[in-house]
Amino acid sequence: MIDNYAVNLLFWDQWGFYAEFFDKGSYWDIFSHQHGPHRQGIGFILAKWIADLSAWDGKIEAFAIGVLLFLSGLFCLLLKKRLTGNLVFMDIVLFALILSPTQHGLFSATPNISHGSMPFLLLILYSFAWLNHSKYKYYLIGFINFLLVFTGFGFFIAPISIFLILLDLWRFKEDRIHKVLSLLLCLFGLVLFFYDYNFNHPQDLAGELENSSLNLYLSFIFVSLANYWSLTISSIWDMVFGAINFMIILGLMVLSTIKLWRETNNKALRIVFILSTFSFLFLLNLSLGRAPYGIGGAKASRYIIYISPAYIALYFYLGQLRFGGHFWKLIFVLASIYPSLNTAQHYKRMEKIKSKKEKWVEVYKKTESIEIANRESNFKIFPKPEKVHLKERLEYLKEHKLNFYKSEPQD
């Protein structure tokens, strides 16, 4: 799928955050680069290495995203094995929740390792860290927390880490120095994240917020969840389905919190709490940040990977049920197959954006005119070319044989 639909062309937001590559920023500049509300983190370091080795080939970066998602699926299986001691055939659903055409935006639209694939992999590794028996695990937790906070929307792990470490400090007296130091590392990461942080909202958002309402935010969340399951959002029933999903995620988070408070040593509950709370916090942030722009943003495929942890948590929780657990897991597995079958709409979108990108490159190479390429392809690779010095950067790509110019013959 990536081979067929990823196109070697910097697109949309890439012209913004690739500024660090154009300007040859330091590793700290790359790691701490703020793109919208989040920073780029360790994923951007990896993107830098890939860019250097591939002449900024966007298709290779898309393949890297696919590899990270595949590794995440393997680690999810290992996580399940660590929790239960065995694997069963139904566990393949963990891959269905991660590898799906529903997430095509991660590579077919604007590839960004820091947005989606890397935070998700780090989240699974973070969950693994909590299963470690060593007293030094808290340093590993603090370190992965630091990477997550700085990498895409992995930021939402911060309150989860602080809560769990404080809970362990309150419940268990041993290894307190390690817990305190880990807590300080988490707090230091937050302080560093907000150092020199740009809090300014886009001017057009400020006006939109005045017309927002609780109903709009909730509707945005419901549509996001219905979109996760590849529903078309064409009827009230799709909205109702999204609302039911939201209540399930909320209930899972609340239930795991209450039980974890009573059974602090329950490893499975801890993982369920981590994954469900992460997705819940992301959904709240997503609706607050994107709903004012319109409900259409809820259908963006790049957000789906951040919702997947909640359903992985649900699968783990169903396995903990003493009565009817296997039945509900089977129902869940059958339901999870649907998004991977109802893919026509996603392939249609991928084909459309692929053809437009290729047409734009074809016209631009012939004319070297952004305006003509935009007009003849009926497509823009960035809405305001002057804002990112698009013409100058296209000339830079040509001069250095990068991105879609990499295959050009040498003079």
Side-chain angles (χ1 to χ4, degrees):
M1 188 166 58
I2 292 174
D3 187 48
N4 285 334
Y5 295 105
V7 178
N8 182 23
L9 169 67
L10 292 179
F11 179 67
W12 217 255
D13 288 2
Q14 286 180 297
W15 293 106
F17 57 75
Y18 260 60
E20 297 296 346
F21 297 174
F22 282 104
D23 299 336
K24 296 179 171 59
S26 67
Y27 273 113
W28 176 251
D29 292 332
I30 293 170
F31 181 84
S32 61
H33 180 81
Q34 183 181 346
H35 178 62
H38 65 75
R39 296 188 186 270
Q40 289 289 88
I42 193 64
F44 210 30
I45 298 292
L46 178 58
K48 167 65 174 173
W49 294 341
I50 293 172
D52 288 344
L53 291 172
S54 67
W56 295 25
D57 193 318
K59 195 165 187 176
I60 292 179
E61 183 175 358
F63 272 117
I65 290 171
V67 170
L68 290 175
L69 292 176
F70 182 78
L71 288 175
S72 299
L74 291 179
F75 279 114
C76 277
L77 289 177
L78 291 175
L79 183 62
K80 196 271 181 179
K81 191 174 188 301
R82 283 287 301 272
L83 290 173
T84 64
N86 69 318
L87 291 173
V88 296
F89 180 75
M90 283 195 297
D91 294 336
I92 199 68
V93 72
L94 296 171
F95 268 103
L97 294 171
I98 299 168
L99 299 176
S100 169
T102 58
Q103 305 183 51
H104 64 85
L106 294 177
F107 59 84
S108 68
T110 310
N112 183 1
I113 293 174
S114 296
H115 188 345
S117 57
M118 181 60 81
F120 184 79
L121 177 58
L122 288 173
L123 180 64
I124 302 304
L125 295 177
Y126 173 87
S127 301
F128 258 107
W130 278 103
L131 301 181
N132 196 302
H133 296 292
S134 171
K135 61 184 177 182
Y136 300 111
K137 72 178 181 182
Y138 291 100
Y139 300 114
L140 179 60
I141 289 167
F143 175 68
I144 299 178
N145 174 88
F146 180 84
L147 295 180
L148 267 168
V149 164
F150 271 83
T151 307
F153 288 107
F155 173 84
F156 298 109
I157 202 63
I160 296 172
S161 296
I162 293 171
F163 172 78
L164 289 176
I165 295 173
L166 286 174
L167 182 62
D168 277 8
L169 271 170
W170 180 58
R171 285 295 182 91
F172 307 111
K173 295 181 180 180
E174 64 273 12
D175 305 325
R176 285 199 165 186
I177 184 63
H178 304 301
K179 297 169 188 173
V180 170
L181 291 175
S182 177
L183 181 62
L184 290 175
L185 178 58
C186 292
L187 294 173
F188 171 74
L190 274 179
V191 172
L192 195 60
F193 177 90
F194 286 113
Y195 176 76
D196 198 29
Y197 185 85
N198 181 10
F199 286 93
N200 293 329
H201 286 286
Q203 293 181 355
D204 56 340
L205 178 60
E208 295 286 351
L209 285 171
E210 297 179 0
N211 300 320
S212 301
S213 64
L214 178 61
N215 181 61
L216 174 64
Y217 294 128
L218 288 176
S219 296
F220 194 93
I221 292 175
F222 299 161
V223 171
S224 297
L225 291 171
N227 181 62
Y228 180 92
W229 295 99
S230 286
L231 299 182
T232 57
I233 326 299
S234 58
S235 71
I236 187 63
W237 295 112
D238 293 342
M239 189 76 75
V240 170
F241 181 81
I244 293 173
N245 275 256
F246 181 66
M247 294 305 297
I248 290 174
I249 294 173
L250 176 60
L252 192 62
M253 182 187 71
V254 172
L255 192 60
S256 62
T257 303
I258 295 173
K259 287 192 173 184
L260 188 62
W261 192 263
R262 299 170 181 170
E263 307 172 40
T264 311
N265 276 327
N266 191 314
K267 295 178 180 179
L269 280 177
R270 190 172 291 246
I271 301 305
V272 169
F273 169 78
I274 291 170
L275 298 178
S276 61
T277 304
F278 180 88
S279 290
F280 180 81
L281 293 176
F282 171 76
L283 283 167
L284 291 184
N285 172 79
L286 179 64
S287 65
L288 291 172
R290 305 303 299 180
Y293 290 111
I295 204 71
K299 302 178 184 180
S301 62
R302 65 184 179 275
Y303 299 133
I304 285 177
I305 191 64
Y306 292 106
I307 304 174
S308 292
Y311 293 106
I312 294 172
L314 177 60
Y315 183 73
F316 288 160
Y317 184 79
L318 292 175
Q320 294 286 303
L321 296 179
R322 296 180 180 179
F323 179 76
H326 291 295
F327 170 77
W328 290 113
K329 279 177 68 174
L330 178 60
I331 296 297
F332 180 70
V333 168
L334 294 175
S336 300
I337 295 173
Y338 178 76
S340 294
L341 297 177
N342 183 27
T343 58
Q345 56 180 311
H346 305 299
Y347 280 101
K348 185 177 181 180
R349 292 173 189 169
M350 285 188 281
E351 186 62 47
K352 181 179 180 180
I353 194 170
K354 173 192 175 182
S355 62
K356 286 185 174 294
K357 281 184 175 182
E358 291 178 338
K359 180 64 175 179
W360 195 96
V361 170
E362 177 188 349
V363 175
Y364 183 80
K365 280 186 174 182
K366 291 179 180 178
T367 65
E368 295 196 344
S369 168
I370 297 173
E371 293 77 12
I372 295 175
N374 289 348
R375 183 173 64 252
E376 293 196 13
S377 64
N378 192 28
F379 186 72
K380 293 182 179 180
I381 61 171
F382 195 81
K384 298 178 180 179
E386 64 283 353
K387 184 177 180 181
V388 294
H389 310 289
L390 185 58
K391 183 60 179 178
E392 293 89 335
R393 290 180 176 176
L394 285 166
E395 291 294 335
Y396 180 93
L397 296 181
K398 181 180 180 181
E399 178 184 354
H400 294 87
K401 301 294 187 293
L402 300 173
N403 201 239
F404 63 85
Y405 278 111
K406 69 177 287 187
S407 60
E408 291 289 294
Q410 297 291 330
D411 294 331

